[in-house]
Amino acid sequence: MTTTFTHEFNTPVFTGKTSFPTGLFINGQFVGGADGTTIDVVNPTNGKVVTKIAEGTSKDVDTAVVAAQKAFDTTWGLETAGAERGKLLNKMADLMEAAADELAAIEALDNGKTFWWAKNVDVTASIACIRYYAGWADKNHGQVIETDENKLAYTRHEPIGVVGQIIPWNFPLLMMSWKLGPALATGNCVVLKPSEFTPLTALRMCSIIKETGFPPGVVNVIVGYGQTVGQAISEHPHIEKVAFTGSTLVGRKIMEAAAKTNLKNVTLELGGKSPNIIFNDADLDTAVGWSVHGIFWNHGQACCAGSRIFVQSGIYDKFLAAFTERTKALKVGDPFAADSYQGPQVSQIQYDRIMGYIESGKKDGATVHTGGERHGTEGYFIQPTIFTNTKPTMKIVQEEIFGPVGVVIKFEDEEDVIKQANDTMYGLAAAVFSQDINRALRTAHKLKAGTAWVNCANTLNPQVPFGGFKQSGIGRELGEYALLNYTAVKAVHVNLGHKM
Amino acid sequence: MSPAPVEITVSATGRKITVPTGLFINNEFVASVDSKETIQTVNPATEEVICSIVAASAADIDVAVAAARKAFQTTWGKNVTGFERSRLINKLADLMERDAQELAELETLNNGKPVRVARDFDIGDSIQCLRYYAGWADKITGEASIDNKTKFAFTRHDPIGVCGQIIPWNYPINMWAWKVAPALACSCTIVMKPSELTPLTALKLSELVVEAGFPPGVLNTVPSYGSVGGAALSSHLDVDKVAFTGSTLTGRKIMEAAAKSNLKKVSLELGGKSPHIVFESADLDQAANWAALGILYNTGQDCTAGSRLFVQDTIYDKFIELLAQKAQALTISDGFAEAASGGPVVSKTQYDRVWSYIESGKAEGAKLLIGGQKRPGKGFFVDPTIFTDVKPTMKIVKEEIFGPVLSLAKFHSEEEVIALANDTSYGLGAGLHSKDANQCMRVSSALEAGTVWVNQYNMLNNNVPFGGKKQSGIGRELGSYALEEYTSIKAVHWNFGEKLDWPF
């Protein structure tokens, strides 16, 4: 049973048709799930079902692992030279580039982010990421290490084998690229579970992967639920490594499953409650612009969102006024409208969660400085929201909301704000705004976060590593660092003369 | 008025190739500013002139350097991202791939090597080399230290600047790629002087540089005579670095000129007289194949040619018989012939040089196993020539011949052959054949060469460094190491906490 998803886009920002096979992508073919069940793909602007796609189960994961292992032993792994792997990745990037608008439109339809953001950030950065890792494919060197003249000691940087990758719904295509890039460059074969909420760009990518010419079994994509497919991947005895991006809650489950089964290698990229610190001597305009981007980018659905905004008292009133004005001016609307900045949240569940946090903020006595309500009457749209007059113990200050909801907190003292900023179980990112470079660097160096932004926020490059301190994660993605996640280091000791 | 391109017809295939004849500066082909000199390019298989091109003068070099400097300060250097450089270099590789057959035929016409070899090896390797360095362009990282509590200390790997690159005639396209790729990846700009013997493919490749989208002035091509263009680049006060591949003799001149002018950085990839050792445990048939390849590939015109072959006495008779068969199985002919394994040597000068060595071998008493007879007719063809019973003092054993002429000697012990192998001022390549793993490690450790092949010869990879010890060169090409040749390290000490007491 081959199913095809076809959709005509007739919008102010994009007109065109997309048509691509759906199903589970195993061993280079699109197939139905073992149980024959399906998952509804919902358009978050109106809650309507866009299409149904095949649902994967743990049996399908087993099939995929067999295919991946076979490919690893015969057509991929060390059987294909790094230069060839790099060439395929670059070809894939070329095909993504040719389909850029289409991919952006599918992403906007499925996730709710605007076509503009999808095209100019998500798709562009995805292509850049793939091209970056294409370049690493033939450069993952080991070392030759001096010991003594009677021994030759060196390391081999080998691919791990079959790796499992579980990606979230907030940046579906981008997260797929962050995962596939380093894994494929280093010669691994992949079993990837996209989010059941946003599978469409992943499925479109399967056709691109096929057209690129990756051998069958190198990339396998199984759409399914976390408790079934995600769990199966985490527990699988023949998957030697799992990489997960998502909530800290689920991250724990994955690490637990790995611990209880084959002690597979685990890297996690989890949640955050990232502080954004604005000192009196910040450039106001710079701070306001980046702070808006810090919390409202992607409708607040970013793990590194600068959701706790600390503003020094001397600049507080001016900042709050400008920040509020900018926030109010953000246009919430259809992802395909020419002037929309923000579309709907991704799902009913997320909508309910965020509204729940907003209610809790109101109940706890925080002030809704702007927003705080649903936007419109259809779909999962929420007004960009700012809370003030909060207390550190409030849920909206402690817990990750993952929506367009920021809290603005006044502070006085530098030492104190650093303490407050670090007072969280998370440690993904942080931002500092100050025109005193000494203060900015001093503060950035003291913040317990995997990424510290100075006079900017939420800006990433494929060459620069990204990941969390504390309960925001284990391991780093992007940059050269990501290669280690997918490398098995073997040390070889060759005896040239030592006698026993 | 820019010089007109010429249309060349490749008689063997009927293909018409348009070749630009001007100097390539600022993305345009232009006439010399002050000279009417031209270079005649010759087909070494037929001895006929292919076409004439403009020969750059010292003043033209000034113009090219100025263009490269301007580009470095405005559109290249620190003004372009690694990502963009990567994209452009990859595009250039794609275009080379598209035009591979045409470039191969032009290479064969001008250099003589077989078309098939030019296309699949020279050009194939060049495309991969470009792609390899495209991948490095956005990965040039410095170091950041956290040892200092009040200071942020880090290094920047800046591009060196304007680089003069002088390449030889034995692998015109491949040497072009080896130079251009890492320099562009590191964001340097280039003034490239191809060999006056084989400038045509460098000019043709310049068209692809425009088509790929490189800004004007990033890569400039100035064919000229070595004593003119090469000398001008080496002594130029506004060139930050010169990279040269060619003879050790010329390499010295370049280094001297650099020292006397602005102490520009110098990397040299020079000659060799590489030893090739066959131990008794070797797979003899394979060793004979590799040994033949080592001296006959590219008609012996290879800086790493395994030109001194040492065969262990216990297998000597058997091996030399095998080797003679292997050598005689190759066809040296016009590069457009289907069966050609090798072509003519590149020029009359080289032809005369090689023959004078053959005559000196005969005169000094070495014995001819095969070869040693001139061919009648047109073309600078030299047949495979193997001398045995050589002595270390003979010219054919000490000096680089750069032709298909092998000196073959017998040896007894491992210690003896290591001493013989290392007894040279060169140190570029070396090879050994043995099934004894410990011997392989011992001997490869002991050989004084920048590249040592074990149970192989000649085969290089873009991600493995290449270069010479001793008088075979300075610096390394290929691999990540080449990046160091085009990078200038700046250390930044950024104080954010230390106050200076005064008086201190």
Side-chain angles (χ1 to χ4, degrees):
Chain A
M1 178 194 88
T2 34
T3 47
T4 306
F5 173 62
T6 304
H7 188 90
E8 288 258 12
F9 292 95
N10 202 348
T11 77
V13 296
F14 178 70
T15 43
K17 181 172 156 186
T18 184
S19 185
F20 55 92
T22 64
L24 308 183
F25 184 66
I26 302 178
N27 214 22
Q29 302 296 325
F30 291 93
V31 296
D35 288 355
T37 46
T38 59
I39 293 177
D40 288 346
V41 178
V42 171
N43 181 343
T45 61
N46 55 25
K48 296 204 171 72
V49 173
V50 168
T51 187
K52 291 181 189 301
I53 55 166
E55 177 193 351
T57 66
S58 61
K59 295 184 219 74
D60 300 301
V61 172
D62 288 338
T63 311
V65 171
V66 169
Q69 187 65 53
K70 176 130 185 264
F72 183 74
D73 293 334
T74 58
T75 57
W76 200 243
L78 294 171
E79 301 299 317
T80 301
E84 180 60 23
R85 299 197 295 267
K87 200 165 163 202
L88 286 171
L89 284 166
N90 261 321
K91 174 135 189 244
M92 183 166 90
D94 290 343
L95 293 176
M96 288 168 76
E97 211 161 60
D101 281 9
E102 185 196 338
L103 284 164
I106 297 167
E107 193 84 303
L109 175 71
D110 199 4
N111 165 282
K113 65 181 73 204
T114 67
F115 177 81
W116 192 95
W117 282 107
K119 177 172 170 163
N120 291 293
V121 176
D122 295 56
V123 174
T124 302
S126 298
I127 294 167
C129 178
I130 296 295
R131 290 208 192 283
Y132 175 75
Y133 284 105
W136 272 121
D138 55 358
K139 300 174 178 63
N140 191 13
H141 302 300
Q143 301 176 343
V144 176
I145 302 160
E146 193 181 310
T147 53
D148 58 59
E149 277 307 288
N150 283 312
K151 170 185 283 200
L152 172 68
Y154 62 96
T155 57
R156 286 171 59 92
H157 280 202
E158 300 178 353
I160 289 177
V162 178
V163 304
Q165 304 186 317
I166 301 166
I167 58 175
W169 47 257
N170 58 345
F171 297 94
L173 181 67
L174 187 58
M175 292 298 100
M176 189 180 195
S177 304
W178 282 24
K179 293 282 184 285
L180 289 185
L184 295 178
T186 47
N188 295 277
C189 292
V190 171
V191 176
L192 185 143
K193 182 193 109 48
S195 166
E196 58 271 30
F197 291 101
T198 53
L200 293 183
T201 43
L203 291 171
R204 179 68 185 89
M205 281 296 290
C206 292
S207 293
I208 286 177
I209 285 163
K210 195 166 171 166
E211 194 186 335
T212 299
F214 285 98
V218 170
V219 180
N220 306 276
V221 175
I222 314 276
V223 184
Y225 294 103
Q227 318 90 277
T228 52
V229 174
Q231 190 70 16
I233 288 173
S234 310
E235 293 173 342
H236 206 287
H238 299 308
I239 290 180
E240 312 254 2
K241 186 258 166 37
V242 64
F244 169 78
T245 297
S247 69
T248 298
L249 187 76
V250 175
R252 290 175 186 287
K253 291 192 186 148
I254 288 174
M255 195 167 171
E256 208 182 309
K260 283 178 165 160
T261 52
N262 67 341
L263 278 172
K264 58 172 61 59
N265 211 299
V266 175
T267 49
L268 304 171
E269 214 271 272
L270 307 175
K273 191 71 183 182
S274 302
N276 179 0
I277 303 172
I278 295 147
F279 286 101
N280 285 338
D281 59 8
D283 177 295
L284 184 67
D285 208 54
T286 300
V288 170
W290 287 106
S291 296
V292 169
H293 182 62
I295 181 56
F296 297 119
W297 174 46
N298 213 44
H299 325 175
Q301 300 169 133
C303 45
C304 50
S307 48
R308 289 182 296 146
I309 303 163
F310 295 93
V311 187
Q312 203 165 24
S313 59
I315 200 179
Y316 183 88
D317 292 333
K318 275 213 181 91
F319 175 86
L320 184 59
F323 181 56
T324 307
E325 191 187 328
R326 247 357 137 97
T327 300
K328 283 180 141 92
L330 298 175
K331 189 102 202 303
V332 179
D334 187 285
F336 291 94
D339 57 352
S340 291
Y341 170 88
Q342 176 180 316
Q345 308 305 121
V346 78
S347 67
Q348 184 71 55
I349 296 173
Q350 286 304 312
Y351 172 86
D352 291 339
R353 236 181 92 99
I354 299 161
M355 293 309 291
Y357 275 110
I358 292 176
E359 289 315 307
S360 107
K362 290 174 182 172
K363 241 174 58 190
D364 285 348
T367 306
V368 178
H369 196 78
T370 185
E373 303 296 334
R374 183 186 195 183
H375 171 94
T377 52
E378 197 187 39
Y380 317 128
F381 296 85
I382 297 178
Q383 296 173 345
T385 301
I386 300 172
F387 277 102
T388 54
N389 298 319
T390 59
K391 289 192 180 43
T393 48
M394 290 180 179
K395 278 177 73 167
I396 55 169
V397 179
Q398 294 271 326
E399 298 180 24
E400 185 180 38
I401 299 173
F402 227 68
V405 180
V407 306
V408 178
I409 300 166
K410 192 187 292 192
F411 78 92
E412 190 53 64
D413 178 57
E414 183 181 314
E415 285 305 312
D416 175 58
V417 76
I418 290 173
K419 252 184 39 210
Q420 285 191 62
N422 286 337
D423 183 20
T424 164
M425 69 174 191
Y426 292 115
L428 190 55
V432 182
F433 290 86
S434 167
Q435 292 186 90
D436 175 347
I437 193 62
N438 290 352
R439 163 181 282 154
L441 286 185
R442 216 166 46 226
T443 306
H445 292 181
K446 286 191 183 145
L447 289 166
K448 294 202 171 71
T451 293
W453 283 296
V454 177
N455 293 326
C456 57
N458 277 355
T459 165
L460 298 173
N461 301 77
Q463 314 96 304
V464 183
F466 178 86
F469 282 29
K470 300 174 357 186
Q471 294 186 42
S472 283
I474 292 174
R476 289 293 175 271
E477 298 198 274
L478 300 186
E480 186 179 354
Y481 295 78
L483 301 178
L484 284 172
N485 300 337
Y486 297 99
T487 297
V489 179
K490 174 190 292 170
V492 182
H493 301 243
V494 182
N495 181 19
L496 308 173
H498 284 293
K499 301 238 179 286
M500 185 69 230
Chain B
M1 198 198 72
S2 59
V6 291
E7 193 186 71
I8 296 169
T9 304
V10 179
S11 53
T13 62
R15 179 188 292 272
K16 295 195 192 307
I17 306 177
T18 309
V19 178
T21 61
L23 306 176
F24 180 69
I25 300 178
N26 266 334
N27 276 10
E28 287 178 339
F29 292 95
V30 296
S32 164
V33 290
D34 64 352
S35 158
K36 296 261 176 287
E37 268 230 78
T38 58
I39 291 171
Q40 308 264 74
T41 57
V42 172
N43 178 341
T46 61
E47 302 185 29
E48 284 162 10
V49 170
I50 303 169
C51 65
S52 281
I53 58 162
V54 173
S57 67
D60 295 312
I61 301 295
D62 285 338
V63 174
V65 170
R69 176 64 60 194
K70 176 127 185 266
F72 185 73
Q73 287 168 339
T74 57
T75 56
W76 206 245
K78 293 182 188 176
N79 305 298
V80 63
T81 62
F83 183 74
E84 177 65 6
R85 300 197 297 273
S86 177
R87 197 183 65 78
L88 289 170
I89 299 170
N90 265 321
K91 184 85 210 275
L92 185 57
D94 290 345
L95 295 174
M96 270 185 87
E97 197 165 51
R98 180 194 69 190
D99 294 351
Q101 182 66 29
E102 180 182 68
L103 287 164
E105 292 183 23
L106 187 59
E107 187 87 313
T108 295
L109 209 59
N110 200 185
N111 165 281
K113 67 180 72 202
V115 178
R116 167 182 65 81
V117 172
R119 185 192 58 229
D120 298 342
F121 292 98
D122 295 52
I123 293 171
D125 286 351
S126 298
I127 293 165
Q128 287 200 38
C129 180
L130 286 170
R131 293 201 169 122
Y132 175 77
Y133 284 104
W136 270 123
D138 56 0
K139 299 173 178 63
I140 297 171
T141 53
E143 292 180 354
S145 162
I146 60 166
D147 270 355
N148 305 293
K149 286 180 87 82
T150 57
K151 162 190 294 203
F152 173 37
F154 62 98
T155 59
R156 292 182 61 110
H157 283 213
D158 293 333
I160 281 187
V162 174
C163 300
Q165 301 188 319
I166 302 165
I167 57 175
W169 46 257
N170 57 345
Y171 298 95
I173 294 177
N174 212 358
M175 292 297 98
W176 185 91
W178 280 25
K179 293 279 183 291
V180 159
L184 293 178
C186 292
S187 215
C188 295
T189 55
I190 297 169
V191 178
M192 161 74 71
K193 184 198 108 41
S195 166
E196 56 269 36
L197 292 175
T198 54
L200 298 182
T201 44
L203 288 169
K204 197 77 180 127
L205 287 165
S206 301
E207 289 178 340
L208 299 185
V209 167
V210 178
E211 194 182 340
F214 286 90
V218 169
L219 195 159
N220 306 279
T221 308
V222 286
S224 50
Y225 292 100
S227 53
V228 176
L233 280 173
S234 313
S235 57
H236 206 288
L237 294 177
D238 202 25
V239 168
D240 302 298
K241 183 246 168 50
V242 64
F244 169 77
T245 297
S247 70
T248 298
L249 188 76
T250 307
R252 289 178 186 286
K253 291 187 190 154
I254 289 176
M255 195 168 172
E256 209 182 308
K260 286 179 164 159
S261 56
N262 64 345
L263 277 172
K264 58 173 61 61
K265 310 289 168 286
V266 175
S267 55
L268 303 173
E269 213 271 272
L270 308 176
K273 191 72 185 183
S274 302
H276 202 165
I277 306 169
V278 184
F279 288 97
E280 62 190 1
S281 67
D283 175 329
L284 292 189
D285 193 67
Q286 276 298 298
N289 287 350
W290 291 110
L293 184 75
I295 189 56
L296 299 178
Y297 187 68
N298 215 42
T299 316
Q301 300 171 114
D302 188 309
C303 44
T304 55
S307 49
R308 291 182 297 142
L309 188 62
F310 298 96
V311 183
Q312 199 153 28
D313 47 13
T314 44
I315 46 151
Y316 182 84
D317 294 328
K318 189 158 175 221
F319 185 82
I320 66 169
E321 202 188 306
L322 263 176
L323 183 63
Q325 280 168 25
K326 303 291 185 184
Q328 283 162 327
L330 293 185
T331 310
I332 306 260
S333 67
D334 181 301
F336 288 99
E338 258 308 301
S341 315
V345 297
V346 79
S347 67
K348 181 83 171 57
T349 306
Q350 285 305 113
Y351 179 83
D352 290 342
R353 233 182 94 99
V354 172
W355 275 105
S356 84
Y357 276 109
I358 293 175
E359 292 311 321
S360 115
K362 293 176 188 173
E364 287 192 287
K367 284 220 189 66
L368 272 169
L369 182 62
I370 61 167
Q373 297 300 317
K374 276 193 179 178
R375 270 198 215 181
K378 285 246 174 240
F380 309 126
F381 295 100
V382 180
D383 287 305
T385 304
I386 300 178
F387 281 104
T388 59
D389 293 23
V390 300
K391 291 191 180 33
T393 49
M394 291 178 179
K395 275 181 73 167
I396 56 169
V397 178
K398 289 164 71 81
E399 298 180 23
E400 185 180 37
I401 299 173
F402 228 69
V405 181
L406 180 67
S407 299
L408 205 164
K410 200 186 284 192
F411 75 92
H412 179 67
S413 75
E414 186 182 296
E415 290 73 29
E416 177 199 349
V417 76
I418 288 171
L420 284 169
N422 287 337
D423 182 22
T424 164
S425 62
Y426 291 114
L428 192 56
L432 70 110
H433 298 266
S434 164
K435 283 189 185 146
D436 177 344
N438 286 356
Q439 179 173 59
C440 291
M441 281 310 309
R442 273 193 315 267
V443 177
S444 62
S445 259
L447 288 168
E448 289 161 2
T451 294
V452 178
W453 282 283
V454 179
N455 295 327
Q456 191 177 65
Y457 206 80
N458 258 354
M459 300 302 193
L460 296 175
N461 297 78
N462 287 307
N463 58 358
V464 181
F466 176 86
K469 289 184 187 260
K470 298 171 12 181
Q471 293 187 36
S472 283
I474 292 173
R476 289 292 175 269
E477 300 197 272
L478 301 186
S480 61
Y481 295 77
L483 301 175
E484 292 171 22
E485 306 294 344
Y486 294 98
T487 298
S488 170
I489 313 286
K490 172 192 296 175
V492 179
H493 299 247
W494 191 337
N495 179 23
F496 57 83
E498 186 180 333
K499 300 239 179 284
L500 184 60
D501 288 332
W502 201 260
F504 76 99

